[in-house]
mmCIF file of all heavy atoms in Angstrom:
data_model
loop_
_atom_site.group_PDB
_atom_site.id
_atom_site.type_symbol
_atom_site.label_atom_id
_atom_site.label_comp_id
_atom_site.label_asym_id
_atom_site.label_seq_id
_atom_site.Cartn_x
_atom_site.Cartn_y
_atom_site.Cartn_z
ATOM 1 N N VAL A 1 -65.454 36.290 -27.594
ATOM 2 C CA VAL A 1 -64.052 35.901 -27.428
ATOM 3 C C VAL A 1 -63.973 34.949 -26.241
ATOM 4 O O VAL A 1 -64.143 35.341 -25.091
ATOM 5 C CB VAL A 1 -63.152 37.133 -27.189
ATOM 6 C CG1 VAL A 1 -61.728 36.694 -26.893
ATOM 7 C CG2 VAL A 1 -63.179 38.038 -28.410
ATOM 8 N N ASN A 2 -63.737 33.690 -26.537
ATOM 9 C CA ASN A 2 -63.714 32.646 -25.515
ATOM 10 C C ASN A 2 -62.496 31.768 -25.744
ATOM 11 O O ASN A 2 -62.586 30.562 -25.888
ATOM 12 C CB ASN A 2 -65.009 31.824 -25.558
ATOM 13 C CG ASN A 2 -65.110 30.863 -24.402
ATOM 14 O OD1 ASN A 2 -64.597 31.135 -23.317
ATOM 15 N ND2 ASN A 2 -65.744 29.721 -24.625
ATOM 16 N N THR A 3 -61.349 32.415 -25.778
ATOM 17 C CA THR A 3 -60.118 31.707 -26.102
ATOM 18 C C THR A 3 -58.971 32.307 -25.317
ATOM 19 O O THR A 3 -59.078 33.400 -24.748
ATOM 20 C CB THR A 3 -59.826 31.812 -27.613
ATOM 21 O OG1 THR A 3 -58.676 31.012 -27.923
ATOM 22 C CG2 THR A 3 -59.537 33.256 -28.012
ATOM 23 N N GLU A 4 -57.872 31.588 -25.250
ATOM 24 C CA GLU A 4 -56.691 32.104 -24.570
ATOM 25 C C GLU A 4 -56.050 33.216 -25.402
ATOM 26 O O GLU A 4 -55.883 33.085 -26.614
ATOM 27 C CB GLU A 4 -55.693 30.977 -24.327
ATOM 28 C CG GLU A 4 -56.202 29.928 -23.355
ATOM 29 C CD GLU A 4 -55.162 28.873 -23.050
ATOM 30 O OE1 GLU A 4 -54.280 28.663 -23.901
ATOM 31 O OE2 GLU A 4 -55.240 28.264 -21.973
ATOM 32 N N LEU A 5 -55.680 34.294 -24.744
ATOM 33 C CA LEU A 5 -54.962 35.395 -25.378
ATOM 34 C C LEU A 5 -53.480 35.218 -25.077
ATOM 35 O O LEU A 5 -53.076 35.089 -23.919
ATOM 36 C CB LEU A 5 -55.468 36.739 -24.855
ATOM 37 C CG LEU A 5 -56.958 37.004 -25.094
ATOM 38 C CD1 LEU A 5 -57.375 38.311 -24.445
ATOM 39 C CD2 LEU A 5 -57.277 37.019 -26.582
ATOM 40 N N ARG A 6 -52.648 35.226 -26.122
ATOM 41 C CA ARG A 6 -51.257 34.822 -25.968
ATOM 42 C C ARG A 6 -50.232 35.924 -26.218
ATOM 43 O O ARG A 6 -49.049 35.731 -25.937
ATOM 44 C CB ARG A 6 -50.952 33.643 -26.897
ATOM 45 C CG ARG A 6 -51.790 32.414 -26.598
ATOM 46 C CD ARG A 6 -51.496 31.285 -27.563
ATOM 47 N NE ARG A 6 -52.311 30.115 -27.294
ATOM 48 C CZ ARG A 6 -51.965 29.121 -26.462
ATOM 49 N NH1 ARG A 6 -50.820 29.175 -25.828
ATOM 50 N NH2 ARG A 6 -52.770 28.086 -26.289
ATOM 51 N N GLY A 7 -50.657 37.057 -26.739
ATOM 52 C CA GLY A 7 -49.717 38.135 -27.005
ATOM 53 C C GLY A 7 -50.381 39.484 -26.887
ATOM 54 O O GLY A 7 -51.586 39.622 -27.126
ATOM 55 N N VAL A 8 -49.612 40.515 -26.511
ATOM 56 C CA VAL A 8 -50.160 41.856 -26.359
ATOM 57 C C VAL A 8 -49.083 42.882 -26.682
ATOM 58 O O VAL A 8 -47.899 42.663 -26.409
ATOM 59 C CB VAL A 8 -50.709 42.080 -24.924
ATOM 60 C CG1 VAL A 8 -49.608 41.943 -23.878
ATOM 61 C CG2 VAL A 8 -51.407 43.429 -24.807
ATOM 62 N N ASP A 9 -49.505 43.987 -27.293
ATOM 63 C CA ASP A 9 -48.562 45.055 -27.613
ATOM 64 C C ASP A 9 -49.292 46.389 -27.580
ATOM 65 O O ASP A 9 -50.418 46.508 -28.082
ATOM 66 C CB ASP A 9 -47.937 44.843 -28.993
ATOM 67 C CG ASP A 9 -46.823 45.844 -29.274
ATOM 68 O OD1 ASP A 9 -45.859 45.882 -28.485
ATOM 69 O OD2 ASP A 9 -46.916 46.589 -30.263
ATOM 70 N N PHE A 10 -48.654 47.393 -26.961
ATOM 71 C CA PHE A 10 -49.218 48.730 -26.882
ATOM 72 C C PHE A 10 -48.327 49.708 -27.642
ATOM 73 O O PHE A 10 -47.093 49.612 -27.591
ATOM 74 C CB PHE A 10 -49.356 49.174 -25.429
ATOM 75 C CG PHE A 10 -50.636 48.722 -24.779
ATOM 76 C CD1 PHE A 10 -50.790 47.401 -24.379
ATOM 77 C CD2 PHE A 10 -51.681 49.604 -24.581
ATOM 78 C CE1 PHE A 10 -51.974 46.971 -23.793
ATOM 79 C CE2 PHE A 10 -52.868 49.187 -24.000
ATOM 80 C CZ PHE A 10 -53.009 47.872 -23.602
ATOM 81 N N VAL A 11 -48.965 50.634 -28.345
ATOM 82 C CA VAL A 11 -48.281 51.667 -29.104
ATOM 83 C C VAL A 11 -48.636 53.018 -28.513
ATOM 84 O O VAL A 11 -49.823 53.350 -28.378
ATOM 85 C CB VAL A 11 -48.672 51.622 -30.599
ATOM 86 C CG1 VAL A 11 -47.940 52.710 -31.366
ATOM 87 C CG2 VAL A 11 -48.392 50.248 -31.183
ATOM 88 N N ASP A 12 -47.622 53.801 -28.170
ATOM 89 C CA ASP A 12 -47.842 55.134 -27.615
ATOM 90 C C ASP A 12 -48.334 56.057 -28.712
ATOM 91 O O ASP A 12 -47.643 56.273 -29.712
ATOM 92 C CB ASP A 12 -46.538 55.659 -27.015
ATOM 93 C CG ASP A 12 -46.739 56.933 -26.202
ATOM 94 O OD1 ASP A 12 -47.829 57.522 -26.281
ATOM 95 O OD2 ASP A 12 -45.787 57.330 -25.505
ATOM 96 N N THR A 13 -49.531 56.614 -28.535
ATOM 97 C CA THR A 13 -50.095 57.513 -29.542
ATOM 98 C C THR A 13 -49.986 58.972 -29.136
ATOM 99 O O THR A 13 -50.521 59.853 -29.803
ATOM 100 C CB THR A 13 -51.575 57.165 -29.799
ATOM 101 O OG1 THR A 13 -52.293 57.194 -28.558
ATOM 102 C CG2 THR A 13 -51.702 55.783 -30.420
ATOM 103 N N GLY A 14 -49.290 59.247 -28.031
ATOM 104 C CA GLY A 14 -49.064 60.614 -27.594
ATOM 105 C C GLY A 14 -50.172 61.143 -26.714
ATOM 106 O O GLY A 14 -51.296 60.633 -26.705
ATOM 107 N N GLY A 15 -49.844 62.174 -25.951
ATOM 108 C CA GLY A 15 -50.840 62.800 -25.100
ATOM 109 C C GLY A 15 -51.323 61.929 -23.971
ATOM 110 O O GLY A 15 -52.447 62.111 -23.484
ATOM 111 N N GLY A 16 -50.497 60.973 -23.545
ATOM 112 C CA GLY A 16 -50.892 60.103 -22.449
ATOM 113 C C GLY A 16 -51.830 58.987 -22.823
ATOM 114 O O GLY A 16 -52.394 58.324 -21.950
ATOM 115 N N SER A 17 -52.021 58.763 -24.111
ATOM 116 C CA SER A 17 -52.911 57.689 -24.558
ATOM 117 C C SER A 17 -52.131 56.671 -25.379
ATOM 118 O O SER A 17 -51.003 56.923 -25.805
ATOM 119 C CB SER A 17 -54.062 58.251 -25.391
ATOM 120 O OG SER A 17 -53.569 58.900 -26.549
ATOM 121 N N ALA A 18 -52.733 55.517 -25.597
ATOM 122 C CA ALA A 18 -52.082 54.443 -26.336
ATOM 123 C C ALA A 18 -53.129 53.553 -26.976
ATOM 124 O O ALA A 18 -54.291 53.526 -26.564
ATOM 125 C CB ALA A 18 -51.184 53.622 -25.424
ATOM 126 N N THR A 19 -52.697 52.814 -27.988
ATOM 127 C CA THR A 19 -53.528 51.804 -28.627
ATOM 128 C C THR A 19 -52.939 50.434 -28.332
ATOM 129 O O THR A 19 -51.727 50.236 -28.471
ATOM 130 C CB THR A 19 -53.599 52.016 -30.148
ATOM 131 O OG1 THR A 19 -54.172 53.295 -30.412
ATOM 132 C CG2 THR A 19 -54.445 50.943 -30.816
ATOM 133 N N GLY A 20 -53.790 49.506 -27.897
ATOM 134 C CA GLY A 20 -53.318 48.180 -27.556
ATOM 135 C C GLY A 20 -53.951 47.100 -28.415
ATOM 136 O O GLY A 20 -55.105 47.219 -28.842
ATOM 137 N N TYR A 21 -53.169 46.062 -28.688
ATOM 138 C CA TYR A 21 -53.635 44.911 -29.457
ATOM 139 C C TYR A 21 -53.299 43.643 -28.677
ATOM 140 O O TYR A 21 -52.234 43.528 -28.073
ATOM 141 C CB TYR A 21 -52.951 44.835 -30.822
ATOM 142 C CG TYR A 21 -53.191 46.043 -31.698
ATOM 143 C CD1 TYR A 21 -52.378 47.178 -31.589
ATOM 144 C CD2 TYR A 21 -54.227 46.064 -32.644
ATOM 145 C CE1 TYR A 21 -52.593 48.293 -32.388
ATOM 146 C CE2 TYR A 21 -54.433 47.176 -33.443
ATOM 147 C CZ TYR A 21 -53.624 48.273 -33.313
ATOM 148 O OH TYR A 21 -53.834 49.387 -34.099
ATOM 149 N N ALA A 22 -54.231 42.690 -28.708
ATOM 150 C CA ALA A 22 -53.986 41.376 -28.101
ATOM 151 C C ALA A 22 -54.412 40.299 -29.095
ATOM 152 O O ALA A 22 -55.380 40.489 -29.846
ATOM 153 C CB ALA A 22 -54.752 41.227 -26.799
ATOM 154 N N VAL A 23 -53.683 39.191 -29.092
ATOM 155 C CA VAL A 23 -53.969 38.113 -30.039
ATOM 156 C C VAL A 23 -54.097 36.804 -29.280
ATOM 157 O O VAL A 23 -53.553 36.626 -28.191
ATOM 158 C CB VAL A 23 -52.860 37.995 -31.107
ATOM 159 C CG1 VAL A 23 -52.776 39.257 -31.932
ATOM 160 C CG2 VAL A 23 -51.498 37.705 -30.458
ATOM 161 N N GLY A 24 -54.870 35.875 -29.899
ATOM 162 C CA GLY A 24 -55.064 34.590 -29.230
ATOM 163 C C GLY A 24 -55.414 33.478 -30.183
ATOM 164 O O GLY A 24 -55.326 33.622 -31.419
ATOM 165 N N ASP A 25 -55.824 32.358 -29.617
ATOM 166 C CA ASP A 25 -56.129 31.161 -30.394
ATOM 167 C C ASP A 25 -57.285 31.425 -31.362
ATOM 168 O O ASP A 25 -58.171 32.249 -31.112
ATOM 169 C CB ASP A 25 -56.509 30.018 -29.479
ATOM 170 C CG ASP A 25 -55.335 29.585 -28.597
ATOM 171 O OD1 ASP A 25 -54.211 30.043 -28.845
ATOM 172 O OD2 ASP A 25 -55.574 28.810 -27.650
ATOM 173 N N GLY A 26 -57.286 30.685 -32.478
ATOM 174 C CA GLY A 26 -58.379 30.763 -33.437
ATOM 175 C C GLY A 26 -58.413 32.042 -34.246
ATOM 176 O O GLY A 26 -59.485 32.448 -34.699
ATOM 177 N N GLY A 27 -57.252 32.687 -34.415
ATOM 178 C CA GLY A 27 -57.198 33.900 -35.222
ATOM 179 C C GLY A 27 -57.779 35.130 -34.551
ATOM 180 O O GLY A 27 -58.129 36.108 -35.234
ATOM 181 N N VAL A 28 -57.886 35.123 -33.234
ATOM 182 C CA VAL A 28 -58.485 36.245 -32.511
ATOM 183 C C VAL A 28 -57.498 37.401 -32.403
ATOM 184 O O VAL A 28 -56.342 37.225 -31.987
ATOM 185 C CB VAL A 28 -58.929 35.816 -31.102
ATOM 186 C CG1 VAL A 28 -59.234 37.033 -30.221
ATOM 187 C CG2 VAL A 28 -60.132 34.910 -31.191
ATOM 188 N N ILE A 29 -57.945 38.591 -32.778
ATOM 189 C CA ILE A 29 -57.217 39.842 -32.561
ATOM 190 C C ILE A 29 -58.213 40.844 -31.986
ATOM 191 O O ILE A 29 -59.268 41.076 -32.562
ATOM 192 C CB ILE A 29 -56.623 40.411 -33.869
ATOM 193 C CG1 ILE A 29 -55.655 39.409 -34.517
ATOM 194 C CG2 ILE A 29 -55.905 41.730 -33.588
ATOM 195 C CD1 ILE A 29 -55.092 39.892 -35.850
ATOM 196 N N ILE A 30 -57.870 41.409 -30.830
ATOM 197 C CA ILE A 30 -58.725 42.441 -30.237
ATOM 198 C C ILE A 30 -57.901 43.714 -30.061
ATOM 199 O O ILE A 30 -56.673 43.676 -30.013
ATOM 200 C CB ILE A 30 -59.325 41.994 -28.885
ATOM 201 C CG1 ILE A 30 -58.221 41.675 -27.876
ATOM 202 C CG2 ILE A 30 -60.238 40.791 -29.077
ATOM 203 C CD1 ILE A 30 -58.758 41.320 -26.491
ATOM 204 N N LYS A 31 -58.606 44.836 -29.990
ATOM 205 C CA LYS A 31 -57.953 46.143 -29.957
ATOM 206 C C LYS A 31 -58.631 47.023 -28.918
ATOM 207 O O LYS A 31 -59.836 46.955 -28.713
ATOM 208 C CB LYS A 31 -58.047 46.789 -31.337
ATOM 209 C CG LYS A 31 -57.485 48.196 -31.426
ATOM 210 C CD LYS A 31 -57.677 48.758 -32.829
ATOM 211 C CE LYS A 31 -57.171 50.184 -32.960
ATOM 212 N NZ LYS A 31 -57.382 50.744 -34.321
#
C-alpha cells in the first residue's frame, strides 16, 4: 500500500472493540 488514504470509518463491534476500514487511491481498501 503506497498511496494516499482518503477515508476511514470504524464500526463498534461491542465489548470495547471495533472494526475499521480505510480507503484510498487506486481502489485500495484496508481493514
Side-chain angles (χ1 to χ4, degrees):
V1 175
N2 188 31
T3 185
E4 294 184 334
L5 300 176
R6 299 178 181 270
V8 61
D9 187 58
F10 274 76
V11 180
D12 190 348
T13 55
S17 61
T19 299
Y21 300 86
V23 297
D25 295 350
V28 166
I29 301 177
I30 60 176
K31 176 182 178 181

